[in-house]
Amino acid sequence: MSFSRYLLSLLASLLFSFSISAQLLDHRQGELIVQLQETIDGKSWAAEQPAIEFFERLSIPLNIWLLRFDHSEHALMGMQDDLQKQKAVLSCQRNRLVKLRNTPNDALYGQQWQHRNIGQSGGLIDADFDTEFAWDVTTGGLTANGDTIVVCVIDNGVDTDHPDLMNQIWINRDEIPENGMDDDNNGYIDDVMGWDTRFENNDIDGGAHGTSVAGLIGAEGNNTIGVAGVNWNVQMMVVRSRFQTAESEVIQAYSYALEARMAYDSTGGAEGAYVVATNASWGLDRGQAEDSPIWCALYDVLGEEGILNVGATANLNLDVEQEGDLPTTCPSEYLIGVTNLRDDDMKRTDAAFGNISIDLGAYGENTFTTTINSNYGLFNGTSAATPNVTGAIALLYSAPCSAFGELLESDPAGAALFVKDAILNSVTANADLATITVTGGRLNINDAMMELMSFCDACLAPSSEALSLEGANAVRINWSTISSVDRVDLRYRSSGSSDWVTLSDVSPPYLLEGLSSCTSYEYQLLTDCTAASGSGPITSFITDGCCNLPLDLGIEILSPSAVALNWPAVLAATEYNLRYRIVGSGDWLETDALGGSLFLTNLQACSDYEIEIQTDCDTAITNFGLYQQFSTSGCGTCLDADYCQPPTLNNSSEWISEVNLGNLLDQLSEAEPLGYRNYGLGVEAPELVPGGVYPFSGQPAYSGTAFSEEFKIWIDLDQNGFFSSNEIVFEESAAGGEAARGDILIPENTPLGLTRMRIVMEFSNVNSACPVSTRTGEIEDYCVRIVESPGCVAPDRIWIDLTDDLVSVVNWTASAAPGGDYVLRYRLLGTSEWTTVEVSGNSFELDLSDQCAVFELQIASNCGGSTGAFSTAGFNSCTSTSEPEDHPVWSLAPNPADDFSQISVAAENPIEVLKLFDLNGRELASYQLNGVAQFRLPTSDLASGVYLIRLQTAGGREGVKRLLVR
């Protein structure tokens, strides 16, 4: 390696280390990936988007583009929704981050036992791939047609100077090295051995992870040194992604392989590369396929070009069908998901599984392979299991089988699925995988080779069969056949019949006509060769013309009072009937439509609706079905806007336990899953006024040591769906175990309406409303309603907490008056002299320990020196909630109460008498209960305030508790 190349590699590795520490979100901020309609000029389209500051094409054949915008000015979800609604856009997604699969470090167990296990690593004898037997058939190299087999290794680079890999690296012979030109016009300058998608250059050298992956796939065999890959003689195209990386680089990487294969096929092998497989020993733990539609759709496109794809699942003990994983849960038949086995034939505990997405297991624990700097060593995890499957695919492509060679020529996509079927149909059954993978088995390379070779003398059945309905009485059937097939016959019958109707010597695509509408049929394709015959599977279908419900009902919210409905037309339908109503209301409202769309208008804003559809045909009518719910907009920005989704925070050690905003909002909470909760729909929004000042306190809770936390609060004051830096209304620290306290000022010019408040608590400091952070903490969202001030009004609720030492703490809700200052006055009941104090905040401590009497108390808002009307409350300073030593054990819940409070005592000491008092000592109610363990005290008719409950048990014990009624 040259010194300049060494420096470049060193710089790249440093940048790679920095990128790992810098990228902490699950996506790149300010970036979206869009796939445009095939006919759209991406450059012109992107230039017309006012918010887009930069755009870059990721894939030429798929018309996929990376867009960048200023995320400090535009909310990502809002941008995504706006772009997705455009007709030019097929799909739009955020640019999510992916990472290498972790590789645990365990003890050495031997060398390359995965190919032939005789117990050298201490594992189970014969727990191996039976690779040596497959090598008796082929060791790789070329297809039966003479094409040089290429595997695309998408990873963090490969040690190109490694003696066991240097001859196996694919060389783009149409590119002149280091001349700074794109000699082959493929869009990549000097891509002699591959491409680096991060820095967009040709430096693919380095990468410990990728070096070990490449060695398992294709370390050079039979060269007297080192180790042997599954395929001794394969060319590996290296696409360096420098993980951690983002989905944009993933798409570029796959597109590089796709473009090379498309160029090869279109030029008869003169350009590009005969790529047959890609390897992804990386992914996104718990990633959801629905969040990455563009990434997932790539696998079908690759497969249709003849490329199989292999993906490692997570190194976590989880069910991917329940918790997610990318790429393995992408629903493509051209993707193989792999989990990890040990040398004792057991699945490693920290390897994911799934009976829909994880196809098989492969040995990946302590496998021996190439390592960086021309060395050798152990490699672990699903990252090691997966390349063994990829290497097996490449080996099968080199099978000396003329029939398979014909299939490669006639139907590359069918050939890819033929190889996949050979691998999955020949697994060795494994009890540890029986119910948690698709096949219930592990890779057996020799059996897969024998499965493929068994068809070499056969008359192969048609491949890539496809059927489409053509009206009510016909279907169109398409397929591919190899060149040695002389004739294809098609036979069909109605389901349940024993008699076939045979059509001889048919050609694709074939239109099968004269069928009955809405009838179940089955068909089969038969092949005839010179010395043999073959048959495809029996395939069932139902002709169109059934009176069914539509397959889907799409709902688009147009305005607070209107929605657009659309559904795929049912051939037999004459019209459609729809009924809808507000959820929980009475009668349905009904309407009808002739086609597959309808506008509903005059709906109530901010309401939840339910809707059903019915198909009406000439001869039948369906029941109402396809039930869906939708919510109209118009609730206000808090509920209608798409705010940035906070990342997952680790709140196992600290979380928000209570927030209080002017006593208008007092929310208790526990640690929320994933460190975030939106209370917007479940908690009543406090009303705040422009110019108002509201005390806030935020209390952390801890599972262990109490750390210093910072609280930062944003309110979307301009109600644009985005939290900007000038909307920070609170920023205070909380010392270990203490609460963060301060005031929130609502600016005078704040527009009225329902908007979002976000409370972020993080260890040490908070950096943004969607933190780029690995620290611990929690985030909570609330709705707040900005309302017009009714004037200098008094607080609407006052309550008094009485302590055991006769000190009274007066609390009140923040008033709707601006300012945040109050006048409090109190006096002995029946006297005329007031004691007056001015207070900022929503509580005040009265030290009345030297007095024992009934007091009258009043509070008014202080509005710029003008005192408004007073609210009044009374209390008895002598009342204490302390109870004698022999007090009964009892509980009062809920407290505060709305409609009732449940009083409960021990069953052996039941309630005899229960009395309710106000704070002036007046008895309001008395209940003779005669020995019950529980009593529900009604409170719905009581005014808001504090009350005293006195309880006497059958054993003569007495107790007093305070009850707050809201």
Side-chain angles (χ1 to χ4, degrees):
M1 181 185 300
S2 67
F3 182 72
S4 61
R5 188 173 180 183
Y6 169 77
L7 288 178
L8 183 61
S9 176
L10 179 61
L11 175 60
S13 65
L14 290 174
L15 289 171
F16 168 54
S17 300
F18 171 76
S19 70
I20 290 179
S21 63
Q23 294 178 11
L24 303 169
L25 280 174
D26 70 343
H27 63 277
R28 283 193 180 160
Q29 295 191 92
E31 294 189 358
L32 286 170
I33 301 169
V34 297
Q35 183 174 14
L36 301 177
Q37 299 278 2
E38 184 178 357
T39 58
I40 299 298
D41 180 350
K43 288 185 179 179
S44 300
W45 174 86
E48 294 173 356
Q49 310 306 310
I52 301 305
E53 298 181 347
F54 173 84
F55 52 89
E56 176 187 1
R57 183 164 55 193
L58 301 178
S59 174
I60 295 173
L62 300 179
N63 207 10
I64 298 174
W65 295 77
L66 173 67
L67 308 179
R68 294 200 182 109
F69 57 90
D70 186 348
H71 66 272
S72 67
E73 296 293 334
H74 304 281
L76 183 143
M77 294 183 69
M79 283 283 293
Q80 184 176 354
D81 286 346
D82 290 345
L83 293 175
Q84 186 67 73
K85 292 174 183 176
Q86 296 190 28
K87 291 183 179 180
V89 177
L90 287 174
S91 193
C92 179
Q93 66 171 72
R94 65 180 65 183
N95 191 10
R96 295 163 66 87
L97 302 174
V98 298
K99 63 184 182 68
L100 290 175
R101 300 299 194 189
N102 296 322
T103 53
N105 292 320
D106 294 323
L108 298 173
Y109 290 109
Q111 299 180 341
Q112 290 209 284
W113 55 268
Q114 66 267 26
H115 295 313
R116 183 167 181 256
N117 192 342
I118 58 173
Q120 68 269 44
S121 65
L124 181 67
I125 294 176
D126 204 33
D128 56 45
F129 295 131
D130 284 347
T131 325
E132 291 183 356
F133 301 110
W135 287 334
D136 289 338
V137 178
T138 178
T139 56
L142 307 176
T143 68
N145 303 322
D147 300 303
T148 299
I149 297 168
V150 179
V151 170
C152 181
V153 179
I154 304 172
D155 220 287
N156 66 345
V158 169
D159 182 357
T160 57
D161 292 330
H162 197 293
D164 248 349
L165 299 177
M166 58 193 308
N167 296 327
Q168 309 291 80
I169 304 300
W170 169 75
I171 302 296
N172 181 3
R173 305 197 183 279
D174 296 317
E175 193 74 25
I176 299 173
E178 307 300 335
N179 70 347
M181 299 177 63
D182 181 12
D183 301 293
D184 59 357
N185 295 313
N186 68 347
Y188 305 92
I189 296 173
D190 291 335
D191 59 323
V192 177
M193 293 188 290
W195 193 247
D196 184 322
T197 58
R198 172 65 60 82
F199 296 108
E200 298 193 1
N201 59 33
N202 63 352
D203 181 17
I204 56 93
D205 191 45
H209 191 273
T211 299
S212 294
V213 166
L216 290 170
I217 294 171
E220 186 176 358
N222 204 33
N223 64 348
T224 73
I225 61 170
V227 296
V230 173
N231 195 314
W232 291 3
N233 186 18
V234 66
Q235 296 295 286
M236 289 179 284
M237 171 188 288
V238 181
V239 180
R240 189 176 194 180
S241 295
R242 298 176 183 266
F243 297 92
Q244 293 187 13
T245 190
E247 283 186 68
S248 53
E249 278 99 56
V250 170
I251 292 167
Q252 282 182 300
Y254 280 120
S255 192
Y256 185 86
L258 174 63
E259 292 168 39
R261 177 61 187 267
M262 292 174 70
Y264 188 92
D265 291 343
S266 64
T267 63
E271 298 177 9
Y274 192 73
V275 182
V276 302
T278 69
N279 187 90
S281 287
W282 41 265
L284 179 58
D285 295 346
R286 296 184 173 89
Q288 301 295 326
E290 58 266 27
D291 293 333
S292 299
I294 297 176
W295 178 359
C296 286
L298 266 174
Y299 293 115
D300 283 339
V301 180
L302 288 156
E304 288 161 7
E305 198 64 33
I307 302 174
L308 269 180
N309 308 278
V310 191
T313 192
N315 286 301
L316 298 168
N317 187 27
L318 58 83
D319 186 342
V320 301
E321 320 304 350
Q322 300 297 321
E323 300 193 45
D325 185 54
L326 283 174
T328 60
T329 60
C330 289
S332 173
E333 59 182 342
Y334 298 101
L335 174 66
I336 299 175
V338 185
T339 191
N340 183 22
L341 291 173
R342 305 189 308 240
D343 64 356
D344 60 358
D345 230 13
M346 303 291 287
K347 183 185 80 70
R348 183 175 172 93
T349 302
D350 55 353
F353 54 91
N355 58 11
I356 298 173
S357 304
I358 307 305
D359 294 285
L360 77 169
Y363 299 113
E365 192 60 22
N366 290 325
T367 53
F368 200 73
T369 181
T370 50
T371 61
I372 198 74
N373 298 323
S374 300
N375 289 321
Y376 302 88
L378 297 179
F379 188 46
N380 301 286
T382 57
S383 286
T386 300
N388 286 296
V389 179
T390 308
I393 291 171
L395 191 67
L396 291 179
Y397 264 85
S398 70
C401 175
S402 58
F404 179 56
E406 291 181 46
L407 184 61
L408 292 174
E409 289 284 346
S410 64
D411 186 7
L417 294 179
F418 189 74
V419 171
K420 177 184 176 183
D421 288 343
I423 290 174
L424 300 189
N425 293 339
S426 62
V427 296
T428 298
N430 184 288
D432 219 28
L433 303 175
T435 60
I436 61 173
T437 60
V438 174
T439 63
R442 50 92 169 161
L443 175 67
N444 188 307
I445 297 175
N446 180 62
D447 286 356
M449 183 66 71
M450 295 302 102
E451 174 83 4
L452 187 148
M453 294 296 292
S454 68
F455 290 93
C456 288
D457 297 326
C459 187
L460 290 183
S463 58
S464 297
E465 289 185 31
L467 180 144
S468 59
L469 300 177
E470 301 281 343
N473 307 110
V475 296
R476 190 175 300 276
I477 304 171
N478 205 351
W479 66 88
S480 295
T481 56
I482 61 176
S483 58
S484 60
V485 171
D486 297 323
R487 190 183 78 247
V488 175
D489 298 336
L490 185 154
R491 62 177 187 171
Y492 69 98
R493 63 186 177 187
S494 58
S495 298
S497 172
S498 59
D499 297 326
W500 291 95
V501 176
T502 301
L503 305 172
S504 297
D505 199 10
V506 294
S507 300
Y510 185 80
L511 184 64
L512 180 58
E513 301 178 280
L515 305 176
S516 299
S517 64
C518 192
T519 302
S520 177
Y521 287 91
E522 54 190 17
Y523 80 91
Q524 185 178 33
L525 294 173
L526 309 174
T527 54
D528 185 76
C529 304
T530 302
S533 60
S535 59
I538 296 176
T539 303
S540 299
F541 65 92
I542 299 176
T543 52
D544 209 341
C546 299
C547 192
N548 294 326
L549 289 171
L551 296 176
D552 188 26
L553 176 60
I555 302 174
E556 180 183 359
I557 308 300
L558 300 177
S559 72
S561 62
V563 299
L565 308 175
N566 61 83
W567 56 92
V570 176
L571 184 65
T574 56
E575 68 173 8
Y576 304 90
N577 304 316
L578 295 97
R579 62 183 188 182
Y580 60 98
R581 63 185 177 186
I582 292 178
V583 175
S585 65
D587 296 335
W588 293 90
L589 298 173
E590 297 193 11
T591 187
D592 55 65
L594 295 178
S597 63
L598 181 70
F599 290 97
L600 291 182
T601 57
N602 299 319
L603 303 176
Q604 291 187 23
C606 192
S607 299
D608 296 327
Y609 280 86
E610 52 189 352
I611 188 168
E612 294 181 323
I613 191 170
Q614 179 185 62
T615 305
D616 193 347
C617 309
D618 285 333
T619 58
I621 187 168
T622 69
N623 293 324
F624 277 101
L626 204 59
Y627 175 89
Q628 290 196 44
Q629 290 190 5
F630 66 91
S631 299
T632 53
S633 59
C635 301
T637 305
C638 180
L639 300 179
D640 289 346
D642 290 321
Y643 289 88
C644 62
Q645 182 70 21
T648 298
L649 289 181
N650 179 2
N651 62 350
S652 59
S653 58
E654 63 249 68
W655 59 93
I656 300 172
S657 65
E658 182 177 9
V659 295
N660 186 294
L661 179 61
N663 290 326
L664 298 169
L665 170 68
D666 191 6
Q667 183 67 31
L668 301 173
S669 62
E670 299 294 333
E672 298 295 340
L674 305 180
Y676 170 70
R677 181 167 177 180
N678 182 1
Y679 288 93
L681 290 173
V683 174
E684 184 177 355
E687 294 186 347
L688 312 178
V689 300
V693 179
Y694 301 90
F696 174 84
S697 66
Q699 179 64 56
Y702 305 88
S703 60
T705 303
F707 300 100
S708 174
E709 309 290 339
E710 183 177 46
F711 280 79
K712 190 176 288 188
I713 301 176
W714 284 259
I715 295 180
D716 183 14
L717 298 171
D718 57 11
Q719 300 179 32
N720 67 348
F722 181 74
F723 296 115
S724 60
S725 58
N726 61 0
E727 293 177 324
I728 299 172
V729 296
F730 181 92
E731 188 173 6
E732 295 290 342
S733 295
E738 300 297 322
R741 302 182 187 279
D743 290 333
I744 291 177
L745 168 65
I746 306 300
E748 293 280 1
N749 61 351
T750 302
L752 308 183
L754 188 72
T755 191
R756 184 78 67 92
M757 176 174 71
R758 174 160 294 175
I759 303 171
V760 181
M761 183 199 83
E762 283 191 277
F763 168 68
S764 183
N765 70 286
V766 177
N767 52 36
S768 76
C770 273
V772 182
S773 172
T774 56
R775 290 186 299 275
T776 56
E778 195 165 71
I779 300 174
E780 293 180 351
D781 278 4
Y782 296 89
C783 290
V784 295
R785 192 179 302 278
I786 309 299
V787 299
E788 186 175 358
S789 173
C792 196
V793 296
D796 64 357
R797 188 159 60 89
I798 305 171
W799 66 98
I800 297 95
D801 288 337
L802 304 175
T803 65
D804 290 342
D805 56 4
L806 301 183
V807 174
S808 302
V809 179
V810 185
N811 306 275
W812 60 93
T813 54
S815 76
D821 295 328
Y822 301 89
V823 174
L824 181 149
R825 65 186 187 183
Y826 61 97
R827 65 185 177 185
L828 287 170
L829 189 64
T831 65
S832 59
E833 295 295 326
W834 293 97
T835 300
T836 303
V837 292
E838 293 185 358
V839 181
S840 293
N842 296 97
S843 66
F844 185 74
E845 185 176 289
L846 285 175
D847 187 354
L848 302 174
S849 57
D850 59 343
Q851 302 183 60
C852 181
V854 177
F855 284 83
E856 181 182 8
L857 181 141
Q858 293 184 337
I859 301 175
S861 297
N862 186 354
C863 306
S866 176
T867 302
F870 283 93
S871 291
T872 302
F875 66 99
N876 187 343
S877 67
C878 299
T879 305
S880 172
T881 58
S882 61
E883 297 169 336
E885 294 182 0
D886 63 345
H887 70 278
V889 178
W890 60 300
S891 63
L892 188 66
N895 187 13
D898 292 308
D899 298 323
F900 72 91
S901 187
Q902 181 92 359
I903 295 103
S904 302
V905 300
E908 63 272 12
N909 200 11
I911 307 170
E912 190 70 22
V913 178
L914 190 76
K915 293 187 177 184
L916 175 68
F917 300 87
D918 66 14
L919 287 180
N920 294 321
R922 290 175 295 188
E923 183 177 308
L924 303 179
S926 179
Y927 302 91
Q928 189 71 38
L929 301 179
N930 299 321
V932 297
Q934 291 185 333
F935 177 68
R936 177 174 285 198
L937 175 69
T939 61
S940 57
D941 294 333
L942 297 175
S944 297
V946 179
Y947 298 85
L948 297 175
I949 306 294
R950 185 177 296 276
L951 172 146
Q952 184 178 27
T953 69
R957 295 182 176 183
E958 291 189 354
V960 177
K961 288 186 183 289
R962 290 193 308 275
L963 172 66
L964 173 62
V965 176
R966 291 191 285 205

